[in-house]
């Protein structure tokens, strides 16, 4: 038995591409072979097993904190300020083919990310807090490291059980923005809203039948 990784984008993960004109050069030719697989079904994804969500669009609400809670030193990527834990629960997976699942997170709808992978809310949102980023981390399946937004680095994988279910565990917290300075560029009060798009990555089982 062997495994094959296949990425499957959820409804909120949208990719746009732009083309450019390129002149063909005689002799510069080759071939590309694409390999894929069609499964009977993909998994149904829910947030904390809630079923009152709209499709694959979910909301996670952090605790309300005060400006003073950010303190006098940088909280960095290990911040637990206002932390909220959540999970992506998978059900209805095809147990005959799907072995494991993981998720990739990318900034979305005006949100961006820092070089270090922190999530940055849109800067022009009316009434928004200033100098506040969000830090997303793994929180289960033996992984507790930082999930870097817009980077292919997430190492957490969930094994699909015999009922076709699996869970991916995460936590999100506030941290200061990259330009934060307590004296000259402090945190200011306001709302914090940022979005990520997630893409589920499924690891499929490939069965080989040997005939004599």
């Amino acid at each position: 038995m062997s495994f094959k990784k296949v990425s499957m984008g959820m409804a909120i993960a949208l990719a746009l591409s732009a083309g450019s004109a390129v002149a063909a050069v005689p002799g510069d030719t080759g071939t590309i072979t694409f390999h894929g697989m069609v499964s009977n079904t993909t998994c149904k994804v829910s947030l904390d097993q809630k079923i009152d969500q709209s499709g694959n669009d979910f909301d996670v609400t952090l605790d309300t904190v005060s400006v003073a809670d950010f303190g006098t030193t940088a909280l960095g990527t290990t911040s637990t300020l206002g932390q909220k834990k959540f999970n992506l629960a998978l059900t209805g997976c095809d147990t005959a083919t799907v072995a494991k699942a993981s998720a990739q997170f990318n900034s979305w709808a005006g949100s961006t990310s820092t070089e270090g992978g922190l999530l940055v809310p849109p800067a022009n949102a009316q009434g928004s807090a200033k100098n506040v980023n969000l830090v997303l981390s793994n929180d289960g399946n033996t992984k507790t490291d930082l999930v870097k937004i817009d980077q292919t680095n997430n190492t957490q994988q969930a094994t699909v059980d015999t009922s076709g279910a699996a869970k991916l565990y995460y936590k999100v917290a506030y941290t200061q923005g990259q330009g934060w300075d307590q004296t000259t560029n402090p945190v200011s009060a306001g709302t914090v809203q940022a979005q990520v798009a997630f893409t589920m990555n499924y690891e499929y089982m490939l069965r080989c039948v040997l005939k004599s």
Side-chain angles (χ1 to χ4, degrees):
M1 183 182 296
S2 61
F3 299 95
K4 184 175 183 179
K5 292 185 178 178
V6 180
S7 297
M8 306 191 70
M10 307 307 295
I12 62 171
L14 176 66
L16 302 177
S17 61
S20 58
V22 179
V25 179
D28 288 345
T29 62
T31 62
I32 300 175
T33 302
F34 297 98
H35 300 273
M37 179 179 180
V38 178
S39 173
N40 291 331
T41 180
T42 55
C43 308
K44 176 179 175 58
V45 184
S46 62
L47 180 77
D48 295 333
Q49 294 185 313
K50 295 178 182 177
I51 59 174
D52 58 342
Q53 300 283 348
S54 175
N56 289 320
D57 297 340
F58 308 127
D59 294 313
V60 175
T61 303
L62 285 77
D63 294 338
T64 299
V65 298
S66 70
V67 170
D69 291 331
F70 283 87
T72 59
T73 59
L75 298 173
T77 60
T78 59
S79 173
T80 59
L81 182 61
Q83 180 176 279
K84 183 67 65 175
K85 297 188 176 187
F86 67 97
N87 67 72
L88 292 178
L90 282 65
T91 56
C93 300
D94 179 11
T95 57
T97 56
V98 181
K100 296 181 180 181
S102 61
Q104 168 67 28
F105 295 89
N106 293 295
S107 56
W108 182 253
S111 299
T112 57
S113 62
T114 67
E115 184 177 351
L118 299 179
L119 181 62
V120 183
N124 57 352
Q126 185 175 3
S128 62
K130 304 301 181 185
N131 288 318
V132 177
N133 289 346
L134 296 176
V135 53
L136 178 66
S137 302
N138 289 310
D139 194 41
N141 296 305
T142 73
K143 302 297 181 180
T144 58
D145 55 320
L146 174 69
V147 176
K148 295 182 179 180
I149 307 299
D150 294 323
Q151 300 181 35
T152 307
N153 76 307
N154 194 6
T155 57
Q156 183 184 171
Q157 279 191 317
T159 299
V160 176
D161 64 22
T162 55
S163 70
K167 282 186 179 181
L168 293 162
Y169 299 90
Y170 303 99
K171 56 187 177 182
V172 61
Y174 303 105
T175 192
Q176 295 100 332
Q178 58 269 40
W180 172 83
D181 182 279
Q182 187 194 15
T183 303
T184 62
N185 198 23
V187 169
S188 67
T191 59
V192 178
Q193 182 171 310
Q195 288 183 280
V196 291
F198 67 93
T199 302
M200 296 306 304
N201 300 314
Y202 297 118
E203 190 171 278
Y204 287 93
M205 295 182 289
L206 299 180
R207 289 181 170 84
C208 298
V209 178
L210 301 178
K211 295 183 178 180
S212 57

